[in-house]
Amino acid sequence: QLIMLICRIVVIMSLVFAFAKPYLPSANIIKQLSNNVVCIYIDNSFSMNAEGEEGKAIESAKQKAFAIVDASPADAKYALLTNDLSEKHFRFYTRQEIKNLIGEVEEGKKAVMLTTILSRFENLTGNLLNDSDNKIFVISDFQKHTTDVNNLKADTLSVYNFVKVPVNTIPNLYVDTCWFETPAHHLDQVEVLNVKIVNSSEEAYHQVSVNFFLNDSLKSLTTVDLSAREEKTVTLQYTNLTTGIQNGRIEISDYPILYDNTIYFAYNVNDTQKALLIKPGSVTRNTGRFEAAFINDPYVKLDIVNDNHLQISRLNEYSSIILYELMNFSTGLSVELKKYVENGGTLVIIPSIPGNIENYNSFLGDLRLPVITNFDSISIPIGEVDYSHPIYSGVFKPEGEKVSLPEIKGRYKFSDFQKPDTSLVDQEAIIRFMDKDNALNSYVSGLGRVYIFAFQLSGERNPFSNHILFFPTIYNMVLYSSSHQQLYSVLGKDRFFTVKNPFDKLLQNPIIREVASGNDIIPEVIQQEGNVLRLNIDDNLGAGFYKIYLEEEIIGGVALNYDLKESDLSYYTTDELKTLASQAGIKRFNVVDETASGFNIAITELDQGKQLWKIFIFLALFSIVIEFLVIKFWDSFFNRKKEKKLI
């Protein structure tokens, strides 16, 4: 009877507790206020096409997003972001509207850093009142290359919920990049193309085919072996047989990740190249050595003009301009030369000694180049030549006899190149004096390049123009002036295609036409600086070849490739995510790593805490069972014992 009484008391107490709906609050639960905000990010990058234990990762992510919406308060405000970063997503939606948007999410083409996504959410929720609850759900496979949680500056008003989507670990091989040995391209030139192949997996690959196509014609076929986590550079050779736009692609065969098996590139082969030498009209300068360097050259045409007869409007016709010991730079010439360099031209400056240093420095300052500090009349020999520089490529044998270098009588000294605010991206010392000062330096300015000599070439005092270095130095500066061609652009990284406009004015919008499909796109953003057009790369474009049309004429060809951030298929584990979030100083976060069967419960517990009413219901049922067993078997059990004692 006492046991039955205890069981009945436990039943009653358990039912009372069960109907009271007790729960253990989550450590990161936030109070329920009037403005619940639920921000959901669905990773729709290439890696989410992988298969997992719940099927395709992108579909699993969408189902988890639906479950999050169903578990959230009915009056919540919802926001959705994907890697597309679409402007239509940058606002709040109702429950039904957000479900419709989630259903429309498809595979994207861009890999976006996680901090970029979370910054968008913070900007969106920053316009709300401070009494809003911000719950951010990040649904992703959490690839290491894009999950930069350690760089996150956490919003103290938000709880971050990292929802892992299970994916199967698979090996992957991809074409990383390609480049040419020589930057210039002309007819009948033997090209040396380097291709880097990367194995991002722990498995070895053998006899992987590498196919090279040029203008849809198979030019080369080779194979490569790669060990685990190894990368190799494959070298291919071929000859330019035609002029104009050349479309090349390198392909490998690797399954199931396909988007990174091909890399596209495009470049232009000119039949001729025009160079301009500007000399002073006020004094006599012997240009015979320059004329001899280009005489009867079928590829380079050199025009020579005095600065007082120069047509400034025609500077953009030339791929390279040589300023040959000018005494002064007019204001108009300085302005046009600055535009010329910024738009991709190559400028060679050979100073005049003596010259107007103040005028030179004003021009150099406009280009943000080092300025002349003083003139040194002491003779000094050239001490060092960088024979590995592209302008000397293939000119001198690597292990040949040392070249006797000339002695220079009179030179300019330049200021140190230390300007952090400058637009220059690099500098290269090609020739140095014995005291390590620069004799010939190269700088990148804007889209162009500037070469600066520290001494003049004319006159008997400086024998450089009669030296063996003169011809390859001057000729290759001109020859490589077309070397700033960009082989390809990358979706998500590059914002513009850059092409030259052969017309004086932009009378109509350019058209970007996909070579494979023939589809036309009119760029949304167009910038024109001089004769250079920058055309916006539309997010809807895919990898492949494109031609640029202006007034029904082809003005350029470009190639576009996908971003390869996600080709390295390595992911953060649950414990690693927790560690990264803690190290980033995120106070309130959860990592949800549940399969579909337990996901709904896990999400509910994040919002409402761990519900205990089921435990009390179970306890009540258990007490009823105990009471039933006591009533049913107590008497017979003890009566049997008494009978045994009597016997």
Side-chain angles (χ1 to χ4, degrees), residues 625-640:
V625 171
I626 294 297
E627 183 181 357
F628 171 78
L629 293 175
V630 169
I631 295 173
K632 183 71 174 177
F633 300 106
W634 185 273
D635 289 339
S636 59
F637 178 77
F638 281 98
N639 288 336
R640 193 174 299 132

Side-chain angles (χ1 to χ4, degrees), residues 504-524:
D504 292 335
K505 295 180 180 179
L506 191 63
L507 300 178
Q508 64 183 39
N509 288 337
I511 294 174
I512 299 175
R513 179 171 298 166
E514 186 176 9
V515 174
S517 66
N519 294 332
D520 289 346
I521 294 177
I522 298 177
E524 295 181 1

